[in-house]
Amino acid sequence: MRKIYIPTSGAQSWQALLADPMKQWRTGYSARTLAHCWEAAEGGLPPEIADLFGSDTELLIAIPEHKVSLRDAGRDSQTDVFALVKSSNRTIAVAVEGKVNESFGPTISDWYVDASLRKQQRLAFLCELIGIERPPPGDVHYQLFHRAASAVLEADRFKTDDAAMIVHSFSSDNKWFDAYAAFLDLFKLTAEAGKLVSRRLPDGRTLHFGWAEGDPQFLSL
């Protein structure tokens, strides 16, 4: 994983960072939409993201397509946007997952079929890190586990006060919100669009969750 980052020169700069730059960079899809939205904020946070954290929120740095090691030999978790945010005099490591109509990928049951020892160890690690009892329900999406874990791992690495996992959705009908809500139910939290909810982690930090509704104007760019 590279640790030297350079500033972007606009939304187009994000394309080369994608796992599949040709396939994923399409108008109306999450990668391109998210890039245009965040670049339009001109050094700050998109307003719907800032609103989750409060009026005094400040973006310290944002890194597109940020890879986070899950501390094993498997694939890194590639976060659409990783941000360090300051709010109410606290720093927060934020992992942002952009969505339009794309799903959250395989469920735990699908991902865990004939699970290798590495997968067993990874799932155990993720559950312990974010404070979920094992085994988790099979119908919850695996991506939400490693995206939340990414926020926690980077909170530890950057020594921030809190961590947060935010879904930045540009879907007109909040598609896949039910999958997000099912994941939050594992923490005994109730999901609500535009509202931050929180859970204390085993390491003492607070992990925040939010569903932000993005401006649809960016879908056509």
Side-chain angles (χ1 to χ4, degrees):
M1 180 176 65
R2 296 183 182 274
K3 296 184 179 179
I4 298 175
Y5 301 94
I6 59 174
T8 65
S9 57
Q12 197 69 37
S13 302
W14 297 42
Q15 182 179 5
L17 304 173
L18 296 168
D20 189 335
M22 296 304 295
K23 182 179 179 180
Q24 293 176 276
W25 191 254
R26 292 189 286 170
T27 300
Y29 286 74
S30 61
R32 184 170 177 142
T33 303
L34 196 72
H36 281 284
C37 177
W38 278 73
E39 288 287 343
E42 298 184 342
L45 287 165
E48 59 273 18
I49 301 291
D51 287 347
L52 288 172
F53 294 99
S55 59
D56 64 341
T57 301
E58 176 188 1
L59 175 64
L60 302 178
I61 190 171
I63 305 172
E65 300 299 331
H66 181 61
K67 293 182 180 180
V68 180
S69 170
L70 298 180
R71 297 182 181 176
D72 60 20
R75 290 179 59 185
D76 294 339
S77 179
Q78 188 158 336
T79 303
D80 293 338
V81 180
F82 171 71
L84 292 176
V85 169
K86 186 176 181 181
S87 178
S88 301
N89 210 32
R90 297 179 69 80
T91 53
I92 309 168
V94 184
V96 178
E97 178 64 29
K99 290 294 176 202
V100 179
N101 293 316
E102 306 95 333
S103 78
F104 288 106
T107 62
I108 289 291
S109 290
D110 292 336
W111 177 77
Y112 208 65
V113 171
D114 298 325
S116 63
L117 178 60
R118 180 186 62 78
K119 280 192 174 184
Q120 295 174 41
Q121 292 172 337
R122 171 171 281 199
L123 185 59
F125 170 70
L126 296 178
C127 289
E128 182 179 2
L129 186 69
I130 61 178
I132 289 179
E133 292 184 4
R134 286 187 290 142
D139 59 351
V140 182
H141 291 260
Y142 168 64
Q143 186 183 66
L144 293 166
F145 283 75
H146 66 82
R147 191 66 71 245
S150 295
V152 177
L153 289 167
E154 295 300 78
D156 181 62
R157 191 161 73 98
F158 286 99
K159 305 303 178 189
T160 65
D161 299 300
D162 301 335
M165 186 199 78
I166 306 299
V167 178
H168 198 174
S169 172
F170 294 85
S171 169
S172 60
D173 57 357
N174 280 338
K175 194 167 184 179
W176 300 104
F177 181 82
D178 55 341
Y180 166 77
F183 179 65
L184 262 60
D185 189 57
L186 301 181
F187 300 89
K188 298 183 172 22
L189 296 173
T190 300
E192 183 178 337
K195 181 180 178 181
L196 209 65
V197 293
S198 310
R199 167 73 180 268
R200 182 73 68 174
L201 292 169
D203 70 358
R205 281 189 179 86
T206 297
L207 175 59
H208 307 287
F209 300 95
W211 181 283
E213 297 176 309
D215 191 329
Q217 70 169 308
F218 297 108
L219 287 165
S220 60
L221 298 180

